[in-house]
Amino acid sequence: MGFQMQLSQSFVCRRKSQHSTILQNSDAITDSSMATDGSSSCQEPKMTSQTHLPAEDSLLLPDLLPEIIVQILSRLPVKSLLRFRCVSKSWRSFISQPEFAKTHLSLASMSSDYTHHRLLLSDLDPREPTNVKSCSLYCILNEQSDTAVDLDCPLNINHLGRIVGCCDGLVCGTIYGGLIIWNPSTRRSKRLLDVEMLSRHNYPYAYGFGYDESIDDYKVVVFSRDASNSGFDFEAKGEVYSLRTNSWRRIGIFPYGFHMDISGTYLNGALYWTVTVSRESNIIIVSLDLVKETYREVLLPDYGDGHLSRSSLDVLNGCLRIVCAYDEYIDVWVMKEYGIRESWTKLVVIPCATPELFDPYPTPVCILKNGEFLVNVYTHLVRYNPKDGTTIYLPIRNCSERFSVYRHIESLISPEIDADSGVQWQHQY
């Protein structure tokens, strides 16, 4: 029996008369939250002096040491943790601590079976509003469920315009007239202040969202250009939003100009975009260090001759990944050491002619433990075995005909930070 079931039974048996009403009321929170059941088999986290339980809660589980309870709770899905906040005031306070949220996120990130990972699916039809749905990556891979669930849009808005990026369980997206940061697991969200530089004379054309570890801050980057400039060359103005200070400020002008990805790829404290630097469609990779807020060119792999139909950046199993699409196949490269061109390694060549991979530009989502690739072909998912070239068709029910896929990890990280104390707010629900 799972940890969460054991805890639930113990709570009910020992304090049934005191907490039965609270636990019943907590079902509404549980049912409306998005999470996947299961626990991860990860390395033991380093616990700090702040990650402990109040003495009064020893009455709940006298057979377990507080340290053991901490270890159990930090491995539970968000759905269960939201319910367990209703056990007592001290449990609610403990589970709401930023230190606990970080420990829980660290363990969830290290899980090799994707227990706490989800896929966000957004419509690709430009004629329709973007509706975001979610499905469990673990359930998809283990054939336990093939149905996507609708996510309630935050802040009572009708729909998201575009998902800008995902980081530590937070999702940054565009909405009419602005941007939001949203945690789909806890359903907490924050609308960002309007960008001062975006007026009727300027409009945004590229974004990025990531984490600055040096000051424990999440940042959103927006690039804009003069609306009157319709040519190929233009000056890209940048501005960065700090979640900690809840404010925007200018950063250096993007030095490479021209056309770039709409959404940047975040990895290890930096954002990456592919940038077209000539009318002949020559591309480079440009990074923005979120700590120093400086730009740098990252050399592409030596992928040889051939006409590139398309290229795309993303993160694949902790490495920067670029897909080079040709007419009949795609090359998947990963950079194993940041900034070292020789560390680019070609992982796999995936043909585009197999029946399941009929889309001209299949995109790898993740690498499984058995060496297979989970591939998005925009109408469904496919498991591709590079050893024998076999494919397994993985349809997604309750989803649009064409969709983009974003990897998302369940977490308790809050999109709201107290600028005075520099810590996440401990919400009272």
Side-chain angles (χ1 to χ4, degrees):
M1 184 178 295
F3 283 143
Q4 57 266 44
M5 185 62 70
Q6 295 180 37
L7 287 173
S8 297
Q9 290 184 344
S10 184
F11 296 153
V12 173
C13 291
R14 298 180 187 278
R15 289 193 173 183
K16 183 175 181 181
S17 60
Q18 181 177 358
H19 292 294
S20 59
T21 303
I22 297 177
L23 287 175
Q24 290 173 2
N25 293 336
S26 71
D27 289 339
I29 300 176
T30 302
D31 293 339
S32 62
S33 63
M34 181 199 69
T36 305
D37 290 334
S39 59
S40 56
S41 55
C42 303
Q43 184 179 355
E44 295 293 316
K46 183 178 180 180
M47 310 307 293
T48 66
S49 59
Q50 295 178 326
T51 52
H52 64 276
L53 294 174
E56 65 184 80
D57 287 315
S58 62
L59 297 175
L60 292 174
L61 293 173
D63 297 330
L64 294 177
L65 295 174
E67 293 81 4
I68 301 300
I69 299 176
V70 171
Q71 295 290 346
I72 295 174
L73 291 177
S74 60
R75 286 166 167 78
L76 296 183
V78 172
K79 183 175 182 178
S80 297
L81 292 172
L82 293 178
R83 183 177 184 180
F84 290 162
R85 291 179 312 177
C86 300
V87 171
S88 68
K89 291 182 178 180
S90 55
W91 273 62
R92 180 174 59 186
S93 175
F94 169 74
I95 293 174
S96 300
Q97 289 179 11
E99 293 79 11
F100 178 79
K102 292 179 180 179
T103 298
H104 179 270
L105 174 64
S106 177
L107 288 171
S109 301
M110 291 188 297
S111 175
S112 61
D113 58 2
Y114 304 112
T115 304
H116 298 284
H117 292 245
R118 301 189 72 86
L119 301 178
L120 299 184
L121 313 172
S122 70
D123 298 341
L124 276 178
D125 189 345
R127 300 167 298 179
E128 298 294 335
T130 299
N131 296 313
V132 182
K133 300 177 185 292
S134 170
C135 61
S136 166
L137 179 55
Y138 177 86
C139 290
I140 290 291
L141 295 177
N142 291 277
E143 300 181 359
Q144 295 182 2
S145 174
D146 60 359
T147 302
V149 297
D150 295 300
L151 294 180
D152 294 333
C153 286
L155 302 176
N156 297 319
I157 62 176
N158 294 328
H159 62 272
L160 293 176
R162 175 186 295 275
I163 293 179
V164 172
C166 302
C167 180
D168 295 348
L170 299 178
V171 177
C172 182
T174 63
I175 58 176
Y176 181 77
L179 292 159
I180 63 165
I181 298 178
W182 170 39
N183 185 330
S185 300
T186 62
R187 303 178 68 189
R188 305 299 302 181
S189 59
K190 177 180 178 63
R191 179 165 184 163
L192 308 190
L193 297 174
D194 292 336
V195 188
E196 293 182 0
M197 70 176 181
L198 300 182
S199 64
R200 62 176 180 168
H201 302 296
N202 293 275
Y203 70 92
Y205 74 96
Y207 305 87
F209 175 57
Y211 177 65
D212 180 352
E213 185 178 8
S214 67
I215 55 175
D216 189 21
D217 192 13
Y218 292 90
K219 294 181 176 180
V220 180
V221 179
V222 177
F223 294 103
S224 70
R225 68 174 182 176
D226 192 325
S228 63
N229 189 338
S230 59
F232 189 85
D233 304 340
F234 55 86
E235 186 179 78
K237 301 176 182 179
E239 189 153 333
V240 62
Y241 170 84
S242 165
L243 186 61
R244 175 180 291 275
T245 63
N246 191 31
S247 63
W248 290 91
R249 56 186 174 78
R250 292 285 181 91
I251 58 175
I253 293 175
F254 194 76
Y256 299 90
F258 309 122
H259 297 275
M260 58 196 296
D261 296 332
I262 295 178
S263 299
T265 296
Y266 171 75
L267 176 65
N268 297 335
L271 289 166
Y272 300 83
W273 295 266
T274 55
V275 182
T276 304
V277 294
S278 73
R279 296 183 185 277
E280 289 73 32
S281 299
N282 294 324
I283 66 169
I284 61 174
I285 298 175
V286 177
S287 69
L288 172 64
D289 188 312
L290 289 178
V291 177
K292 301 177 181 179
E293 295 181 356
T294 56
Y295 302 100
R296 176 181 176 181
E297 181 179 349
V298 179
L299 295 177
L300 287 165
D302 183 10
Y303 45 74
D305 299 330
H307 175 69
L308 280 179
S309 300
R310 188 195 63 137
S311 63
S312 66
L313 278 180
D314 207 337
V315 175
L316 188 65
N317 287 45
C319 295
L320 186 66
R321 179 270 287 165
I322 186 168
V323 169
C324 301
Y326 301 91
D327 293 335
E328 298 180 353
Y329 63 93
I330 64 168
D331 288 340
V332 181
W333 297 77
V334 294
M335 175 174 273
K336 296 187 175 181
E337 296 183 46
Y338 172 71
I340 300 179
R341 185 180 190 183
E342 291 73 21
S343 72
W344 281 109
T345 303
K346 185 189 293 188
L347 286 185
V348 66
V349 177
I350 301 179
C352 302
T354 57
E356 289 81 6
L357 299 178
F358 59 84
D359 190 281
Y361 303 124
T363 305
V365 176
C366 63
I367 305 175
L368 310 184
K369 290 187 292 185
N370 62 0
E372 293 181 345
F373 286 75
L374 181 65
V375 182
N376 172 35
V377 295
Y378 303 105
T379 57
H380 56 275
L381 299 175
V382 169
R383 291 180 66 154
Y384 175 73
N385 188 332
K387 297 179 181 179
D388 55 16
T390 57
T391 56
I392 300 176
Y393 176 79
L394 300 174
I396 305 295
R397 302 183 187 278
N398 189 36
C399 195
S400 61
E401 293 183 357
R402 290 178 58 82
F403 52 82
S404 294
V405 173
Y406 301 87
R407 286 274 302 278
H408 174 259
I409 188 168
E410 298 172 359
S411 81
L412 293 166
I413 301 296
S414 173
E416 298 175 294
I417 296 180
D418 187 339
D420 296 327
S421 63
V423 300
Q424 296 172 341
W425 290 343
Q426 297 181 15
H427 300 288
Q428 302 298 316
Y429 296 91

